[in-house]
Amino acid sequence: MLSLLFLVLGFLLCLGLFGLRDRTLAFAAQRPADYSGKGPVLDPRRDLSGPLLCEGVIYGPTGRVTSRFVADMVGRWEGNAGILTERFRYDSGAVDNREWRFQLGNDGTLHAEADDLVGSGVGKAEGSALCLRYRLRLQDDAGGHVLDVIDWMYRLENGTIINRSQFRKFGIKVAELVATLRRIET
């Protein structure tokens, strides 16, 4: 019994000393309900509508910036059905296009499809945040790997959205994205 106690204490000490607790629990442990009742409310029909400018960076597994990008996006909604088209321009000169197809439930649940997803994405908007989980197949020139992705979007008072995403392979974080999305006034 004493050896089990030492094993548990040793594990807890390792979690604290090596930061494993933060790496395994912090980002993925968030839940949409954590943001319930907090404003300003993120409504995808409003906040992902019209022309948007997205600017961001992608960090590799060591925490260093591996890529920068600017993306032009346009969102269109009819009721609870939406389409978001994206055109990414990376600092390498590469260009990537994606079209998201969304279905928003009255309770804030979100179902998402795109041609480079494996299956469908699922998520929820609640309070000032939106979480979307999906499996993404990278392009062949990027290895064609399938990554598990968690996207978190947080709406600020001025309407800007901060997007933070983590990409995992076999449960190990291989990349992270941080970006801003701002509506463009036409």
Side-chain angles (χ1 to χ4, degrees):
M1 184 68 169
L2 190 56
S3 62
L4 178 61
L5 178 62
F6 283 121
L7 181 65
V8 170
L9 288 174
F11 178 73
L12 293 173
L13 182 61
C14 284
L15 283 177
L17 286 178
F18 298 111
L20 294 176
R21 176 185 51 83
D22 292 337
R23 282 187 246 152
T24 59
L25 300 177
F27 186 76
Q30 296 179 87
R31 300 287 175 248
D34 296 342
Y35 301 94
S36 178
K38 296 181 179 162
V41 172
L42 192 156
D43 182 343
R45 295 167 295 196
R46 176 195 62 219
D47 296 316
L48 299 177
S49 183
L52 301 162
L53 178 64
C54 178
E55 302 166 306
V57 293
I58 299 173
Y59 301 90
T62 64
R64 290 192 172 102
V65 172
T66 60
S67 183
R68 297 179 310 271
F69 64 87
V70 175
D72 297 307
M73 302 177 175
V74 177
R76 298 179 311 279
W77 288 83
E78 289 185 30
N80 285 353
I83 294 176
L84 181 67
T85 57
E86 304 173 327
R87 180 172 179 80
F88 288 87
R89 295 178 313 282
Y90 295 92
D91 58 347
S92 66
V95 175
D96 190 16
N97 297 299
R98 177 176 297 116
E99 180 181 275
W100 288 98
R101 297 171 297 280
F102 298 119
Q103 188 63 48
L104 182 65
N106 291 332
D107 62 351
T109 56
L110 188 67
H111 295 277
E113 295 181 353
D115 293 342
D116 54 355
L117 264 57
V118 176
S120 297
V122 293
K124 186 162 188 179
E126 195 161 343
S128 61
L130 181 149
C131 178
L132 184 62
R133 296 171 187 264
Y134 54 93
R135 300 189 76 215
L136 177 71
R137 182 178 307 281
L138 297 179
Q139 294 180 356
D140 289 338
D141 61 351
H145 300 281
V146 175
L147 303 177
D148 296 313
V149 182
I150 301 174
D151 277 347
W152 275 97
M153 295 183 182
Y154 310 94
R155 186 176 191 276
L156 304 179
E157 285 74 12
N158 68 358
T160 298
I161 294 175
I162 304 295
N163 181 190
R164 181 178 177 203
S165 303
Q166 286 189 352
F167 303 81
R168 294 182 180 272
K169 179 82 174 179
F170 304 121
I172 299 168
K173 184 171 72 168
V174 295
E176 185 164 346
L177 173 149
V178 175
T180 60
L181 287 85
R182 294 179 287 120
R183 293 188 69 176
I184 299 171
E185 300 302 324
T186 56

